[in-house]
Amino acid sequence: MTAAMAVSRALRDLWLRRLAAPTQLGFHLSPRPLSSSAHQASKAAPSEASDHSYESLQVTSAGTHVLHVQLNRPDKRNAMNKAFWREMVECFNKIARDSNCRAVVVSGAGKMFTSGIDLMDMASELLQPEGDDVARISWYLHDLITQYQKTFSVIEKVWTSSLPVTSATVPRMLSSRSSLVNELAFTARKMMANEALSSGLVSRVFVDKEAVLDAAFALAAEVSSKSPVAVQSTKASGT
């Protein structure tokens, strides 16, 4: 029984490290120069997207066929609370059914993308689950973490072309066979932008958040101007 409890604690601690590690800004961007019309579209004033009302997210229209999904808890450094885990799945499932949306930009409001899991909000579920049966607690944590994983996997499963700010603690978003990704997942260490660039996980880095978003909206505008069937088919063939 003692060994089982130790395994349960180790599994929980590993997942907590993966979920709680602060995430820094990075971006997958094409090195090809963007058209001037796409860049101008990225400067369009944002407006609230219909049918998207959330506690932890803000969804706005960022141009023709482009949506901007922001983690919207800047006072909490966009820490991932219970509402976030639920609303990200709801949000991207809606986007997947939105025939007008062809590209998505994901960012965080305020100074950082996210500080990681909101332990104050999630403590009762992750750190102090009810019951005293080790096996049942382990299965409970397994099911809970599986549900949380959908928050990220839903982004790669939607048919629309998504342009997310990458999270170094989510290996399925990158490559399950990459030794570097395994290292990041197992150690939960921070990955600096220059290391991501040199290892090929990102194609460009930027000096600040404004520059990242300008390039992201410009790229999203250009992607959204292409045939949605071609873009969706290309994305599906690469996943």
Side-chain angles (χ1 to χ4, degrees), residues 48-231:
E48 291 289 338
S50 60
D51 198 32
H52 286 281
S53 178
Y54 307 106
E55 175 186 333
S56 67
L57 306 173
Q58 182 180 42
V59 182
T60 57
S61 174
T64 306
H65 305 306
V66 178
L67 288 179
H68 182 195
V69 177
Q70 274 191 303
L71 280 63
N72 194 32
R73 303 183 73 214
D75 57 323
K76 299 292 186 180
R77 297 188 177 184
N78 299 321
M80 303 174 186
N81 63 352
K82 294 175 184 176
F84 165 83
W85 302 103
R86 179 183 69 255
E87 291 175 346
M88 278 288 284
V89 177
E90 179 185 348
C91 175
F92 276 90
N93 280 331
K94 284 184 179 179
I95 290 174
R97 298 189 295 268
D98 185 353
S99 60
N100 189 54
C101 179
R102 299 181 184 179
V104 181
V105 172
V106 180
S107 72
K111 296 182 178 180
M112 66 189 311
F113 179 46
T114 178
S115 58
I117 192 172
D118 188 335
L119 291 177
M120 295 296 292
D121 186 63
M122 305 294 296
S124 61
E125 290 188 345
L126 285 175
L127 303 180
Q128 297 176 328
E130 295 182 0
D132 54 7
D133 184 287
V134 176
R136 286 185 171 86
I137 291 176
S138 298
W139 276 113
Y140 166 80
L141 291 174
H142 175 274
D143 291 343
L144 187 65
I145 292 168
T146 298
Q147 290 297 316
Y148 291 162
Q149 183 64 46
K150 292 180 181 178
T151 300
F152 302 104
S153 60
V154 70
I155 298 176
E156 65 177 313
K157 289 180 180 179
V158 296
W159 278 101
T160 54
S161 171
S162 58
L163 304 173
V165 176
T166 58
S167 298
T169 56
V170 190
R172 288 186 61 191
M173 299 266 305
L174 300 175
S175 169
S176 59
R177 294 182 295 275
S178 168
S179 60
L180 175 59
V181 172
N182 284 337
E183 176 188 339
L184 293 170
F186 296 153
T187 64
R189 70 173 177 82
K190 293 182 179 179
M191 185 179 196
M192 299 296 103
N194 59 346
E195 183 183 7
L197 179 64
S198 63
S199 63
L201 291 181
V202 298
S203 57
R204 280 194 281 169
V205 295
F206 299 87
V207 295
D208 54 32
K209 178 181 177 180
E210 183 179 357
V212 171
L213 287 177
D214 282 347
F217 288 133
L219 181 57
E222 184 165 355
V223 170
S224 68
S225 70
K226 311 303 181 185
S227 164
V229 174
V231 172

